Amino acid sequence: MIKKIFILVALTIILLVFFAVIEVFFTRSNTEVIFTINRGDRLPEIAKNLKQEGVINSPYAFSLYIISSNNRKNLQAGSYLFYPGINIPEIAEKIVSGDVQTKRLTFIEGWDLNDIAQYLENEGIGTKEEFYNLAGKPPYIENGEVNLGYSSSIDIDYIENGTLEGFLFPDTYHFPIDVNMKDVILAMLSNFQEKVLPIIDNEDVFKIITKASMIEKEVYLEEDKKLISGIIDKRINMGMPLQIDATVIYLTQKRTTTVTTEEKKIDFPYNTYLYLGLPKGPISNPSMLSIKATIESQDSDYLYYLSKPTGETVFSRTLEEHNIAKNKYLR
């Protein structure tokens, strides 16, 4: 009798082990799921949620595998992509190694707040209005009237015009798959503070970024940027309007490199045809190259410049030389 019981128990154990092995190693998910483990989630809760999401069949098999592999304390929070065909060891390896699913976002040098807002909306992060409520809204034309936008709800002490324009550092970022709008903005601000603030005098941050944001829109080459930085300084010292088209395009948002005579007359404090000195604030989010060029301005005899259709910059010393260059290259 005892022998029969022993055999029955042994067979039961063998069957349980057999089915456990089948469940752990050979049963595979038939669904694709982005699964999130929150900080503080314990093994039973994780196993239960995996079952509910259809990633595994047995929460007990999953828990047994985690415990037997001595990984109970190594489960990492985050969002994970589990694809069809994945089994429990592969699921466990992802969670233990922290192989989280991330969202890659690339912000282009010279983009302004409108560009960033549209990009984030396209990426499904949130709406443009959500972005503007956090970062501020740049000036815009509404019903034929100029509206100067509104301020950011994020307060930064060196920002003088209310919006985060110029201070959202262009770069490639990797975020959790469920990242929200505010976290994206804070990451870009943090990147700016880490990379830019150490190389400039804190008292001149706003002025430098405003100037760099115009240079970013004007030319591409480092040496050209430094020369234009020097020309901007010279014009300001002479009391001469900067007359930079990009400051008008910032308002009109037209996809063009030129502005009309009428557009140059639009009255708003970013218009460097009507207002002397730098505009009210940055008109784009400049690259490190433009920021360094602003700091390392190069003096020259030049007072004028233009960009040829090829992108090459032509510098002139006098208005007469400049007009000859315009007739030669732009007409």
Side-chain angles (χ1 to χ4, degrees):
M1 184 68 179
I2 295 175
K3 185 177 180 180
K4 289 182 179 179
I5 293 174
F6 176 80
I7 292 173
L8 184 61
V9 169
L11 287 173
T12 301
I13 293 174
I14 291 171
L15 285 173
L16 288 174
V17 170
F18 174 77
F19 286 117
V21 169
I22 293 295
E23 184 64 42
V24 169
F25 293 97
F26 296 98
T27 302
R28 295 182 175 272
S29 171
N30 59 4
T31 185
E32 180 174 301
V33 172
I34 293 177
F35 181 80
T36 300
I37 299 175
N38 299 309
R39 292 189 181 279
D41 284 357
R42 301 176 69 84
L43 177 58
E45 184 178 5
I46 295 170
K48 177 184 174 183
N49 291 339
L50 284 168
K51 164 68 174 176
Q52 289 178 345
E53 293 290 336
V55 181
I56 60 174
N57 292 329
S58 171
Y60 307 109
F62 176 79
S63 297
L64 179 64
Y65 181 82
I66 294 295
I67 293 170
S68 64
S69 59
N70 198 29
N71 278 315
R72 187 167 191 162
K73 295 182 179 180
N74 298 328
L75 305 181
Q76 299 191 45
S79 295
Y80 298 87
L81 173 63
F82 297 130
Y83 46 84
I86 195 169
N87 62 20
I88 284 178
E90 291 166 338
I91 293 168
E93 182 181 358
K94 271 181 168 286
I95 297 174
V96 169
S97 65
D99 182 17
V100 297
Q101 179 73 358
T102 60
K103 192 170 187 68
R104 184 176 184 268
L105 298 175
T106 298
F107 300 92
I108 306 300
E109 296 166 344
W111 272 3
D112 62 24
L113 292 182
N114 291 309
D115 297 318
I116 296 173
Q118 185 64 64
Y119 174 68
L120 289 173
E121 185 173 83
N122 292 345
E123 290 291 322
I125 306 298
T127 66
K128 288 190 289 186
E129 281 307 312
E130 286 180 79
F131 176 82
Y132 292 139
N133 287 334
L134 291 165
K137 187 173 179 65
Y140 59 96
I141 297 177
E142 187 174 50
N143 300 322
E145 298 292 327
V146 175
N147 189 311
L148 290 180
Y150 45 84
S151 295
S152 163
S153 61
I154 301 173
D155 185 35
I156 306 292
D157 58 4
Y158 47 75
I159 294 178
E160 299 175 15
N161 68 331
T163 77
L164 301 184
E165 190 76 88
F167 303 95
L168 301 180
F169 194 76
D171 207 342
T172 294
Y173 297 80
H174 291 86
F175 295 103
I177 196 69
D178 56 351
V179 67
N180 60 47
M181 192 76 78
K182 187 171 184 178
D183 286 344
V184 171
I185 291 171
L186 291 177
M188 297 178 78
L189 283 171
S190 177
N191 201 12
F192 174 88
Q193 291 165 350
E194 180 182 337
K195 292 181 178 178
V196 179
L197 291 187
I199 67 171
I200 59 180
D201 186 337
N202 196 53
E203 294 181 2
D204 295 331
V205 173
F206 190 78
K207 177 181 175 182
I208 288 172
I209 297 304
T210 298
K211 184 180 171 187
S213 74
M214 294 188 295
I215 294 172
E216 181 69 37
K217 289 292 191 179
E218 292 293 277
V219 289
Y220 304 103
L221 298 178
E222 181 178 8
E223 288 308 312
D224 288 350
K225 289 177 184 288
K226 291 180 180 180
L227 284 171
I228 289 176
S229 180
I231 290 172
I232 289 173
D233 292 339
K234 187 184 294 187
R235 286 193 169 202
I236 290 174
N237 292 334
M238 292 172 60
M240 179 180 176
L242 297 180
Q243 298 181 327
I244 292 177
D245 289 351
T247 61
V248 178
I249 296 170
Y250 183 59
L251 174 70
T252 64
Q253 286 292 302
K254 292 184 176 179
R255 298 301 177 184
T256 179
T257 56
T258 60
V259 297
T260 67
T261 301
E262 288 304 312
E263 288 170 342
K264 293 175 183 178
K265 297 176 183 177
I266 299 174
D267 188 6
F268 77 115
Y270 288 81
N271 186 347
T272 54
Y273 280 89
L274 295 183
Y275 288 82
L276 295 176
L278 295 174
K280 182 181 179 180
I283 62 169
S284 73
N285 294 276
S287 63
M288 186 64 80
L289 196 63
S290 292
I291 294 169
K292 288 182 176 179
T294 301
I295 299 169
E296 302 166 4
S297 286
Q298 184 174 331
D299 291 332
S300 69
D301 295 332
Y302 301 127
L303 192 57
Y304 301 90
Y305 64 91
L306 61 82
S307 294
K308 295 166 58 175
T310 58
E312 181 184 352
T313 307
V314 178
F315 294 94
S316 302
R317 294 172 177 80
T318 65
L319 181 58
E320 181 181 6
E321 287 181 7
H322 183 59
N323 287 333
I324 291 172
K326 283 201 295 184
N327 288 329
K328 182 177 181 180
Y329 298 114
L330 301 182
R331 291 181 184 175

